Amino acid sequence: MERLVRRFARQTGRVLPGKFRASIALVLRFSDSTRHGPHAFESFGRGEWLCGSPGGGLELLLIRRALREGDPWSGHVAFPGGRAGPGETDRETAVRETREEIGLDLMSGFSPLCRLDDIPLSISGRPLRDSILSPFVFLLNISETPRLKLSEEEVDAAFWVPLNPLMEHGQQIIDPYYVSRNFSREDASVHPSVEVADLARNISFSSPSAIQRWSRHPPRLWGLSLIAASSLLEGLGYPRLDSNPDKTTYVRPNWRRHMEQEVFTQK
């Protein structure tokens, strides 16, 4: 395990200056509990975690944000995280927000692996002045995943996605996601996205209404969260999900479906 931590410690993320800061936690676990321990970490070091059956390897924790008035990321697939508090370091923010949003204590049973490159914050592709998002990677180092306790006010759902199928699916089809508030093609901006509903495992919901929203509007990984996930894969030597034109097939979008989803996320 120490070798694994040292390996990731060498990946020093680029830190950007910014007055307004937020942080997120990219939490990983081995999908098969029998692979925990020294043998699991040894196979991880050889790169075996991304090979074999979809049931093997590593899984990444994602959340779906609750509907909140005035929240530009309302309803989006994301990572646990949020704004920095007074006097906090970037990593302390990621740890606190993860505990508050989904009940995971990243200081117990998890190993901090690395910091990824900071990401300038934006809303629907529009940069936010002097605002920075800092991603941090953590790995579960115990055999049992702690039970999640979702904050209903902040989180609709939390779920795990295997990295291997995510990478393979994401490289095959990146679905254009049209962002608009008024069903107008002229007003819309286009963003790459990956539907993750079929990949989701061990889904936890915060309320019955969250289950209904999941069924009506399948979760879609896009925007800042897609950038962060791509940075994780890139840091491990694999292609990004958000920009790989040689392997990307753009499918014809269902315009009404995409517009309806955006109205859902922006209500």
Side-chain angles (χ1 to χ4, degrees):
M1 177 176 174
E2 291 180 0
R3 290 174 55 193
L4 176 66
V5 174
R6 288 199 299 269
R7 172 182 174 178
F8 275 87
R10 291 195 293 269
Q11 298 186 22
T12 304
R14 181 179 70 252
V15 180
L16 299 177
K19 179 179 179 181
F20 306 103
R21 308 194 68 84
S23 297
I24 54 175
L26 283 71
V27 183
L28 298 169
R29 72 174 184 183
F30 288 101
S31 58
D32 185 348
S33 60
T34 62
R35 296 188 63 194
H36 281 275
H39 296 296
F41 291 111
E42 181 181 354
S43 66
F44 183 94
R46 294 195 300 265
E48 297 175 7
W49 60 274
L50 205 52
C51 301
S53 67
L58 285 173
E59 294 180 342
L60 177 64
L61 180 63
L62 295 171
I63 66 171
R64 189 175 204 173
R65 298 212 163 274
L67 293 181
R68 300 177 65 184
E69 189 70 30
D71 182 358
W73 295 282
S74 178
H76 288 191
V77 173
F79 297 100
R83 298 177 183 175
E88 280 185 330
T89 65
D90 292 333
R91 196 174 86 169
E92 288 172 346
T93 299
V95 170
R96 174 183 56 78
E97 287 285 345
T98 300
R99 183 177 61 252
E100 293 176 356
E101 291 185 346
I102 60 174
L104 280 187
D105 182 3
L106 297 178
M107 301 302 293
S108 177
F110 294 85
S111 299
L113 297 185
C114 69
R115 176 180 188 149
L116 301 176
D117 288 349
D118 281 357
I119 305 169
L121 274 170
S122 62
I123 298 178
S124 300
R126 298 187 299 272
L128 295 177
R129 183 179 179 183
D130 211 19
S131 300
I132 300 298
L133 180 67
S134 300
F136 292 85
V137 183
F138 297 83
L139 175 67
L140 180 70
N141 60 22
I142 56 178
S143 60
E144 296 294 329
T145 303
R147 182 178 178 181
L148 303 182
K149 300 176 182 178
L150 307 188
S151 168
E152 186 173 347
E153 293 183 356
E154 298 185 89
V155 178
D156 258 11
F159 55 100
W160 297 87
V161 172
L163 277 188
N164 191 11
L166 174 64
M167 185 190 71
E168 292 177 352
H169 177 71
Q171 292 303 324
Q172 291 169 4
I173 297 179
I174 297 290
D175 195 10
Y177 182 39
Y178 291 78
V179 179
S180 178
R181 294 174 181 268
N182 58 11
F183 291 94
S184 168
R185 289 177 181 265
E186 289 73 22
D187 179 59
S189 56
V190 185
H191 304 267
S193 69
V194 179
E195 286 194 2
V196 292
D198 292 341
L199 304 179
R201 297 179 176 180
N202 303 120
I203 308 171
S204 300
F205 293 102
S206 61
S207 67
S209 59
I211 300 176
Q212 296 174 2
R213 284 192 287 271
W214 179 285
S215 300
R216 292 197 304 265
H217 307 279
R220 181 178 297 276
L221 181 65
W222 74 288
L224 294 170
S225 299
L226 183 62
I227 293 174
S230 295
S231 295
L232 173 65
L233 289 176
E234 185 179 43
L236 295 169
Y238 295 92
R240 296 183 66 91
L241 295 176
D242 56 353
S243 59
N244 194 342
D246 293 336
K247 295 185 178 181
T248 295
T249 300
Y250 279 90
V251 299
R252 178 174 296 178
N254 181 323
W255 182 260
R256 170 63 60 169
R257 176 169 64 87
H258 285 292
M259 291 295 94
E260 288 176 345
Q261 184 169 9
E262 180 58 17
V263 169
F264 154 72
T265 61
Q266 295 293 347
K267 280 183 179 178

